[in-house]
């Protein structure tokens, strides 16, 4: 718990500090609007980051195709809806698509790379991202589309900003997923096995952890998260294949800020990234380049984390 | 059995198509006999890859050229239309121009549609003495170069046109323009809109969205903070829809007047918008509305039905059709012996003055000038039901930006 | 072994010189452009390749650094009337310094984490390039005007596209020789030691900080040269060429090409620029081309651990062994 308090304190201090600094002399209501507005985008970064970290811990693969998998899920959902299918069924189908495409990579392609170093595994997944991006762009032309949910129409007011239930769901889902996964990792057998794998793959396999099964579960669950993130991106950001595919890079930033280890930190960092990005709108100098915020934060976290470290013996990280 | 049915259906379709083509299509010399001479090489470059598809203009130009070739060609010589795809990649764009101009030796470029091609190749065209009759332009270089003339208006003219309508017909006093944070697109066009507002003693401001940013809400809040009464969306359709969705969530649709430049004039847009936008979103159309009618408008659709049934039927398609038509008109007037002479073709295109089409609101011309923007009169439509309704037919835009263009027109004896 | 490497180098160099002067004679305008781009990206690929194979360090910012080199070249070209070479060298130096800054985290990180830091830098640069674009002769620091681009001066010796291709290939060859020279002198030995064990390197008195920084600087220098030459080839640049995903893709292709071999960088660049050019020429739909490309990438990474260059080298070795 203490470990979690530090990132929360840092993130809150950074967000509030920036809000005061940039919002000085502006009405508090305006600053509040930007703050709340940033939370939704931030939770999208966090969601993507959570899926990436979960998968990385269990399988050692940094999945750069996360966004592409989400894009496929979002477009399948849209298409089924367009064909007039019952809405909840389209959502389920979209999520299952995410699971399916993640499993396809995890079971068919990832094993061929299992003995390579993490960077190669990560970079290779870009190949899968390109395949999916090409596929989605080929199947769906570039007509403007919109993915809506019934929750888009219902909203409540927070700090003067109307927040739709969809946005609220994203924030709550991010928090809920982190809690659920943390509990599962600590309480269930497969969670234990996952932690064992994450700590030391070789020893875990020696003591009889069923690697294939654990990895399959990890791919499936991460696929579900990627699918959900894709649907939310499609609804809250834009339903465009290239946009959703390459959202994986800021999501990776959130994952990095959690050192690719801690899911709660990923959540906190993701939210902070969204809020800071939104607050930068108030600064004329940084307005044009505010999407840089996640990258700058990720670099800062990595550098600070490693400040007192010295590399001595050769190793993986 | 099915196969036979299919065959029969295809045959019937062909007969119908042929019948339709003979009945309605008018192309070039309109002789009804196919051209058989040595081909005249004409190039075209479009962008079609992941972020979007701008190929409608070259498809329409290709359809028109095919129709011309079936109807006598240019004095008996067919046009061989060579089309390249720049895939939104500046290097591919430069290579495509090299291929067409250096390797294949085209005499002119017609129907180009891209975001990147014109910026990269403007100088190439000038150095090679090639005139480019573009159709789907979006960047400043396209309108401020000596060797490119575009049939469409681009974001600048379209944005000014939308702002002008909002000021004159909807009593807007303070407009906030939402543009892309790309210097030769957003700041260029929104900046000119601010200039227009200033020239009328009104207020204009701009908000720029970085296309890499997933967050459009902040841009919306920024526009609201500017105190505007009207929000003018000047974004590609996908981003525009996201922006409007954010406004909808904030319940800001009713509190503001809304306008947009051409990208929202797209058939699939009304269906993607919810009912609150009905009768509220005013969109500028660069060419005349698709269903307006008129000889060229009918011919455009007939040519597409006959020669490119699968091609989209949108503004860029109209634009490509008009570019191709005017090119053919200029070539038919040129001395047949000079059709392969790049300099002569270049001069003939630059000599185009006062060509007219009911797909355009004003006359088309090229002329010798350091900038070209012949199309600066448009139509205003409003989102209504599952389509659009015209609220103001053909009107001329007026803004300080057009001063040098009006001067060119005066010199050419237009206006 | 050493001799074998030398023979292959001599063969490679003669082939490269032949290519530099021969290619422009046989290629048309389009392919001259494609090969010029290829040579530019080959330089960036060489940088990524040697860092990975010699030091085990992954840079996922090479294409973004090319953007920096291109930006500086264009900026200088439109601000002063210096000759092309001066602009190019200054751009390479600036990029190299920026590359060295990347070495700061590298002193504390390794492997995936280091790769991700460079990826974040690439992501940040992508945002800056999109927002401010590349100088085209306009006013102000960012130098972006809305009218069409001012003239980009090319080298006095290489005004035509063909001559410019020769010029670019020769510079790329010099870059390759620069890396070769490093490998066989003090830095190469220091790098080898660092890769094996940094503790051992420190114990034996090797200045780890200096040699790591040097490697990043060298790799940045090559990227800067590549970017500057690309700017000279096109006359102006566009942010879309330097996205973070392009940097990842180039590194992936370096692995496919074979990071340990000089031929690997060439293969990487050929796959990066010539293959899409061919597919485009054959009229393959851009989206389908992306699918083929992604599939080929996955296939090559999974089946050829030493890259294509490794397979080619292996083929020759086996043949020699038989004879």
């Amino acid at each position: 718990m203490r470990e979690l308090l530090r990132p929360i304190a840092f993130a809150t201090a950074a967000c509030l500090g920036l809000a005061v600094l940039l919002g000085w002399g502006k009405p508090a209501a305006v600053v509040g609007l930007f703050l709340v507005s940033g939370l939704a985008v931030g939770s999208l970064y966090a969601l993507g980051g959570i899926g990436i970290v979960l998968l990385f811990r269990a399988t050692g693969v940094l999945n750069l195709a996360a966004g592409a998998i989400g894009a496929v899920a979002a477009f399948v959902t849209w298409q089924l809806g367009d064909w007039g299918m019952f809405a909840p069924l389209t959502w389920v189908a979209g999520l299952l698509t995410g699971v399916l495409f993640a499993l396809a990579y995890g079971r068919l392609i990832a094993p061929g790379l299992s003995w390579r170093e993490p960077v190669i595994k990560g970079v290779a997944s870009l190949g899968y991202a390109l395949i999916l991006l090409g596929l989605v762009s080929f199947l769906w032309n570039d007509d403007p589309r919109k993915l809506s949910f019934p929750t888009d129409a219902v909203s409540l007011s927070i700090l003067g900003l109307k927040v739709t239930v969809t946005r609220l769901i994203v924030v709550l889902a991010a928090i809920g997923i982190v809690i659920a996964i943390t509990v599962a990792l600590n309480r269930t057998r497969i969670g234990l096995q996952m932690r064992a794998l994450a700590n030391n793959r070789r020893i875990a396999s020696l003591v009889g952890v069923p690697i294939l099964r654990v990895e399959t579960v990890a791919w499936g669950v991460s696929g579900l998260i990627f699918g959900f993130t894709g649907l939310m991106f499609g609804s809250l950001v834009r339903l465009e294949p290239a946009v959703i595919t390459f959202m994986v890079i800021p999501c990776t930033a959130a994952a990095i800020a959690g050192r690719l280890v801690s899911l709660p930190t990923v959540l906190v960092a993701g939210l902070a990234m969204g809020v800071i990005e939104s607050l930068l709108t108030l600064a004329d100098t940084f307005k044009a380049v505010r999407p840089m915020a996640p990258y700058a934060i990720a670099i800062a976290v990595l550098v600070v984390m490693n400040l007192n470290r010295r590399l001595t013996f050769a190793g993986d990280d | 059995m099915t196969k036979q049915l299919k065959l029969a259906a295809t045959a019937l379709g062909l007969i119908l198509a042929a019948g339709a083509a003979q009945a309605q299509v008018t192309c070039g010399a309109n002789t009804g006999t196919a051209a058989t001479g040595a081909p005249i090489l004409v190039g075209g470059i479009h962008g079609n890859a992941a972020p979007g598809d701008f190929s409608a203009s070259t498809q329409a130009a290709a359809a028109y050229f095919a129709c011309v070739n079936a109807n006598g060609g240019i004095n008996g010589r067919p046009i061989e239309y060579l089309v390249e795809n720049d895939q939104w990649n500046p290097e591919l764009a430069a290579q495509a121009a090299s291929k067409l101009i250096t390797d294949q030796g085209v005499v002119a470029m017609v129907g180009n549609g891209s975001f990147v091609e014109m910026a990269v190749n403007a100088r190439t065209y000038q150095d090679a003495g090639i005139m480019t009759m573009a159709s789907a332009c979006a960047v400043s270089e396209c309108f401020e170069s000596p060797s490119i003339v575009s049939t469409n208006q681009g974001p600048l003219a379209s944005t000014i046109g939308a702002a002008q309508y909002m000021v004159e017909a909807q009593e807007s006093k303070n407009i906030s323009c939402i543009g892309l944070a790309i210097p030769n697109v957003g700041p260029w066009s929104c900046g000119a809109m601010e200039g227009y507002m200033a020239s009328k003693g009104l207020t204009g401001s701009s908000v720029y969205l970085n296309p890499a940013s997933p967050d459009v809400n902040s841009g919306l809040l920024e526009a609201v903070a500017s105190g505007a009464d009207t929000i003018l969306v000047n974004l590609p359709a996908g981003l525009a829809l996201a922006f409007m969705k954010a406004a909808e969530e904030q319940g800001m649709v009713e509190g503001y007047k809304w306008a947009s430049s051409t990208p929202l004039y797209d058939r699939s847009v009304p269906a993607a918008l919810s009912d609150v936008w009905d009768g509220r979103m005013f969109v500028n159309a660069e060419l005349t509305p698709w269903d307006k009618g008129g000889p060229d408008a009918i011919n455009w659709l007939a040519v597409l039905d006959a020669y490119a049934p699968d091609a989209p039927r949108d503004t860029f398609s109209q634009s490509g059709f008009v570019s191709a038509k005017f090119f053919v008109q200029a070539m038919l007037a040129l001395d047949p012996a000079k059709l392969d002479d790049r300099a002569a073709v270049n001069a003939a295109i630059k000599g185009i003055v006062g060509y007219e089409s009911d797909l355009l609101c004003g006359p088309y011309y090229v002329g010798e000038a350091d900038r070209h923007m012949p199309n600066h009169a448009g139509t205003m439509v409003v989102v209504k039901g599952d389509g659009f309704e015209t609220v103001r037919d053909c009107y001329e835009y007026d803004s300080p930006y057009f001063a040098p263009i009006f001067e060119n027109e005066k010199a050419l004896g237009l206006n | 072994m050493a001799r074998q490497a030398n023979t292959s180098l001599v063969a490679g160099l003669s082939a490269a010189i032949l290519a530099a002067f021969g290619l422009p004679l046989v290629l048309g305008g389009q392919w001259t452009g494609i090969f010029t781009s290829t040579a530019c990206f080959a330089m960036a690929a060489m940088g990524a390749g040697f860092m990975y194979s010699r030091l085990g360090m992954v840079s996922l910012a090479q294409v973004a650094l090319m953007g920096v080199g291109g930006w500086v070249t264009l900026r200088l070209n439109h601000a002063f009337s210096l000759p092309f070479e001066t602009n190019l060298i200054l751009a390479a130096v600036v990029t190299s310094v920026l590359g060295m800054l990347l070495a700061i985290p590298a002193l504390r990180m390794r492997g995936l984490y280091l790769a991700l830091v460079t990826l974040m830098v690439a992501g940040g640069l992508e945002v800056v390039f999109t927002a401010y674009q590349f100088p085209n002769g306009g006013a102000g620091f960012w130098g972006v005007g809305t009218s069409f681009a001012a003239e980009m001066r090319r080298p006095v010796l290489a005004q035509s596209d063909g001559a410019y291709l020769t010029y670019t290939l020769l510079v790329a060859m010099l870059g390759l020789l620069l890396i070769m020279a490093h490998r066989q002198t003090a830095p190469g030995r220091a790098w080898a030691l660092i890769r094996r064990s940094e503790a051992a390197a420190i114990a034996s008195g090797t200045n780890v900080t200096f040699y790591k920084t040097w490697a990043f600087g060298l790799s940045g220098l090559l990227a800067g040269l590549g970017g500057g030459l690309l700017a000279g080839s096109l006359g102006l640049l566009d942010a879309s060429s330097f996205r973070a995903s392009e940097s990842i893709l180039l590194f992936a292709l370096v692995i496919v090409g074979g990071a340990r071999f000089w031929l690997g960088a060439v293969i990487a660049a050929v796959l990066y620029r010539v293959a899409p050019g061919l597919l485009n020429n054959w009229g393959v739909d851009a989206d389908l081309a992306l699918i083929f490309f992604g599939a080929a990438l996955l296939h090559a990474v999974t089946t050829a651990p030493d890259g294509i260059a490794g397979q080619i080298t292996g083929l020759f070795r086996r043949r020699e062994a038989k004879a």
Side-chain angles (χ1 to χ4, degrees), chain B residues 85 91 95 99 103 140 144, chain C residues 29-30 37 146-147 273 281:
Chain B
N85 180 0
E91 287 161 65
Q95 290 154 12
K99 181 180 180 184
D103 302 350
S140 57
E144 301 183 357
Chain C
Q30 182 197 15
S37 289
T146 54
S147 289
R273 279 297 174 248
N281 242 10

Side-chain angles (χ1 to χ4, degrees), chain B residues 52 57 67 76 136 144-145 165 168 173 186 214 246 253 255 302 315 320 357 378 386 398 413:
Chain B
S57 59
C67 178
E144 301 183 357
S145 306
Y165 170 80
E168 291 174 3
K173 301 269 180 267
V253 183
T315 304
S357 165
D386 267 345
D398 116 68

Side-chain angles (χ1 to χ4, degrees), chain A residues 30-223:
Chain A
V30 173
V31 182
L33 282 178
F34 284 103
L35 233 150
V36 177
S37 154
L39 279 177
V41 171
S43 48
L44 286 174
Y45 291 155
L47 264 178
I50 290 163
I52 290 171
V53 170
L54 176 77
L55 184 68
F56 178 71
R57 294 296 289 160
T59 66
V61 177
L62 186 104
N63 190 1
L64 290 174
I69 293 172
V72 179
F75 273 86
V76 167
T77 307
W78 178 86
Q79 184 62 64
L80 295 177
D82 198 52
W83 282 339
M85 194 192 263
F86 180 52
L89 279 182
T90 65
W91 310 332
V92 174
L95 295 179
L96 285 181
T97 310
V99 175
L100 194 76
F101 277 84
L103 278 179
Y105 187 80
R107 289 306 296 269
L108 300 178
I109 299 163
L113 290 160
S114 58
W115 49 278
R116 305 291 289 269
E117 55 193 297
V119 184
I120 307 292
K121 288 186 201 169
V123 163
S125 65
L126 182 75
Y128 191 52
L130 295 183
I131 295 177
L132 296 185
L133 174 61
L135 193 70
V136 175
S137 316
F138 182 72
L139 292 178
W140 287 276
N141 65 13
D142 69 327
D143 280 347
R145 295 182 181 82
K146 194 175 72 168
L147 189 60
S148 333
F149 299 108
T151 45
D152 291 351
V154 194
S155 64
L156 39 135
S157 184
I158 303 174
L159 284 181
L161 188 82
K162 280 195 186 163
V163 180
T164 63
V165 175
T166 313
R167 279 172 200 266
L168 220 55
I169 288 177
V170 183
V171 183
L172 294 178
I175 298 172
I177 290 175
V178 169
I179 294 174
I181 293 177
T182 311
V183 169
L185 283 178
N186 288 319
R187 297 280 168 82
T188 63
R189 186 163 175 77
I190 193 111
L192 178 76
Q193 291 167 338
M194 242 178 227
R195 282 186 293 142
L197 264 189
N199 273 348
N200 192 322
R201 300 183 70 77
R202 224 160 49 83
I203 295 179
S205 71
L206 285 177
V207 299
V209 170
I211 293 190
L212 190 66
R213 216 181 103 217
V214 177
E215 288 200 343
T216 306
V217 170
W219 278 101
V221 174
S222 74

Side-chain angles (χ1 to χ4, degrees), chain B residues 89 91, chain C residues 34 37-38 41 241 246 268-277:
Chain B
N89 177 332
E91 287 161 65
Chain C
I34 293 178
S37 289
T38 306
F41 282 96
S241 306
E246 299 294 319
V270 165
L271 291 173
Y272 189 67
R273 279 297 174 248
V274 177

Side-chain angles (χ1 to χ4, degrees), chain B residues 40-393:
Chain B
I40 302 164
L41 299 179
V42 176
I45 300 177
H46 66 237
N48 179 14
D53 181 357
F54 267 34
S55 67
S57 59
T58 47
Q59 287 186 51
Y64 186 74
F65 288 148
C67 178
V68 168
N69 292 346
N71 283 289
I74 310 287
N75 299 311
R77 294 180 59 184
I79 292 170
E80 189 175 340
Y81 189 41
L82 307 162
V83 179
E84 292 291 323
N85 180 0
D86 71 18
Q87 300 186 20
W88 309 119
N89 177 332
E91 287 161 65
L92 279 179
Q95 290 154 12
S98 288
K99 181 180 180 184
L100 293 170
I101 295 173
T102 315
D103 302 350
Q104 292 171 321
V106 299
V107 289
M109 304 283 284
V110 177
N112 292 21
S114 171
F115 244 101
V116 297
E117 184 269 319
M118 294 80 178
V120 176
N121 292 331
R123 187 165 280 280
T124 312
Y125 295 143
Q126 193 186 10
D127 291 347
I130 283 257
M131 197 65 202
T132 298
M133 295 175 77
S135 303
C137 269
V139 296
S140 57
E141 285 89 342
C142 200
F143 301 96
E144 301 183 357
S145 306
S147 294
I148 303 179
V149 56
S150 190
T151 308
N152 77 325
Q153 293 177 352
L156 183 142
S158 181
T159 301
I160 292 178
Q164 187 179 342
Y165 170 80
M166 294 312 281
V167 166
E168 291 174 3
Q170 303 290 333
E171 294 171 348
S172 293
K173 301 269 180 267
N174 184 345
I175 302 185
S176 180
C177 178
I178 318 294
L180 280 181
I182 297 174
N184 56 356
V185 184
W188 176 63
S189 51
C190 285
M193 194 274 324
E194 288 177 28
Y196 164 76
M197 293 302 279
S199 76
K200 298 285 163 198
L202 302 167
T203 319
S205 60
S206 305
V207 170
Y208 299 118
L209 299 179
N210 191 313
S213 173
D215 171 32
V216 291
N217 234 341
S218 301
L220 177 70
L221 297 175
E222 202 186 335
V224 169
S226 73
D229 57 23
T230 304
I231 296 179
L232 201 168
V233 184
N234 178 25
L235 299 168
L239 195 53
L241 286 184
F243 187 84
M244 290 160 73
K245 196 175 175 207
E248 220 177 298
E249 286 178 16
Q250 294 308 315
M252 284 173 180
V253 183
E254 276 96 353
Y256 293 85
K257 298 178 187 117
W258 289 87
S260 168
S261 52
T262 303
L264 280 187
Y265 188 56
D266 182 296
R267 271 172 223 278
S268 50
V269 161
L273 288 177
S274 54
D275 295 341
V276 271
W277 296 100
D278 211 271
R280 267 181 199 286
M281 178 47 108
F282 295 93
V283 184
N284 179 274
E286 296 178 5
L287 277 82
T288 54
W290 311 301
D291 48 4
K292 192 181 178 188
D296 274 350
I298 293 166
N299 195 29
W300 161 59
L301 290 172
V303 167
L304 285 188
D305 286 346
Y307 294 95
D310 299 327
R313 282 140 175 82
D314 56 12
T315 304
F316 284 164
S317 173
Q318 290 176 317
S319 186
F321 177 84
V322 172
S323 300
K325 180 181 178 239
F326 288 160
F327 172 73
V328 167
Q329 200 175 332
M331 290 306 105
L332 284 171
L334 181 66
D335 175 2
K338 290 184 175 167
L339 279 173
D340 292 319
D341 178 357
R342 203 178 265 178
V345 171
N346 190 12
I349 295 174
K350 284 190 170 165
I352 293 178
V353 177
Y355 280 18
E356 293 198 0
S357 165
D358 50 82
L359 287 168
L360 295 175
C361 283
Y364 180 92
Y365 64 91
V366 184
E368 189 80 54
D370 62 351
R371 57 172 65 203
H372 299 92
M373 195 186 273
N375 182 2
H376 43 74
T379 302
M380 216 53 196
V381 299
V382 69
V383 174
K384 200 88 195 165
D386 267 345
F388 298 91
E389 215 175 83
T390 303
V391 289
R392 184 165 178 184
D393 208 2

Side-chain angles (χ1 to χ4, degrees), chain C residues 210-226:
Chain C
F210 174 78
Y211 281 112
K212 271 196 176 178
T213 313
W214 187 254
F216 268 97
L218 180 58
S219 163
L221 183 89
L222 291 167
L225 281 176

